[in-house]
Amino acid sequence: MAEDRVYIVGGEDENGDQHLFATDDLGRAIAKHNELKGRLRKVQTNEGLADAMDAAANPH
């Protein structure tokens, strides 16, 4: 059975409210990460998304 992977990205807005986005689609997760970086503070990802973005940026 294939392993389900969930990519999570979130951040904090100017009011201190937390915003979270989760999907099993890597492309959508990366697009949302880029969108949130432009409008939220403290944007963070889960390890799965961080690893996928690192692999895309540094192919071996």
Side-chain angles (χ1 to χ4, degrees):
M1 176 166 43
E3 181 181 328
D4 292 333
R5 183 171 298 254
V6 175
Y7 303 104
I8 302 170
V9 60
E12 181 178 286
D13 67 17
E14 65 277 356
N15 296 317
D17 295 331
Q18 299 293 315
H19 297 261
L20 215 66
F21 178 79
T23 182
D24 64 354
D25 183 296
L26 178 58
R28 289 184 62 215
I30 292 171
K32 183 58 78 170
H33 177 265
N34 292 335
E35 173 194 331
L36 294 180
K37 278 192 338 186
R39 60 185 187 93
L40 297 179
R41 305 181 293 206
K42 301 180 185 175
V43 175
Q44 298 179 341
T45 66
N46 68 331
E47 186 176 344
L49 180 54
D51 289 347
M53 290 190 315
D54 184 50
N58 301 303
H60 296 115

